[in-house]
Each structure stands twice: as C-alpha cells, then as structure tokens.
C-alpha cells in the first residue's frame, strides 16, 4: 500500500477538523459536501472504509512518520526554490 506523505495527512486532518467545526456553527449543503469530500479522501488515503478508522489510521501513520529537523526542511526548501 502506498502511504501518503505526512504533510498530506496533516492537511486532510486540518480540513476535516475545519469542516466539523464549521458544520457545528452553520449547517449548509456546501459545508456538508466539504465534510463528505474530505472524509472520503481520508478513507482513500488511509485505505479504510469509514471515517473513524481513517482518523485512527492517519494518527498512527503520523506517529510512525520520521520527523525531519525544522532547519533541514527549511534549508532543503530554500535550496529547491533557488534551483527552480
């Protein structure tokens, strides 16, 4: 199974949390659609069939992901930008 990059999982989890919070504040078709879309995408990304399992799998994947030092990540991003 291909595993999504930790940044992708974090972005999806953030979108999911935002949609849940927004839905609690304003129940609209657009917000429900966003929640449905991001839930589906989390399930696909984690190879699960429901959002409860997807959230648990995403947490497990992030816990197991190697952590890159912030300085190395920033330096790598700068080097990649300079080369482009």
């Amino acid at each position: 199974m291909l595993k999504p990059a930790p940044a992708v999982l974090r972005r999806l989890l953030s979108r999911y949390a935002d949609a849940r919070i927004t839905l609690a504040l304003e129940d609209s078709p657009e917000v429900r659609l966003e929640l449905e879309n991001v839930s589906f995408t989390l399930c696909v990304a984690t190879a699960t069939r429901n959002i409860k399992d997807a959230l648990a799998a995403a947490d497990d994947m992030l816990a197991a992901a190697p952590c890159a030092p912030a300085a190395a990540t920033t330096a790598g991003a700068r080097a990649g930008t300079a080369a482009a």
Side-chain angles (χ1 to χ4, degrees), residues 16-48:
Y16 179 80
D18 287 346
R20 290 288 306 254
I21 291 166
T22 304
L23 185 63
L25 298 173
E26 85 178 69
D27 188 356
S28 70
E30 294 83 10
V31 176
R32 287 188 174 276
L33 182 60
E34 170 62 9
L35 183 60
E36 185 178 320
N37 287 340
V38 73
S39 296
F40 174 80
T41 305
L42 271 166
C43 288
V44 171
T46 58
T48 57

Side-chain angles (χ1 to χ4, degrees), residues 50-63:
N50 64 65
I51 191 60
K52 183 179 176 183
D53 291 342
L55 294 172
D59 286 343
D60 290 345
M61 288 177 186
L62 288 174

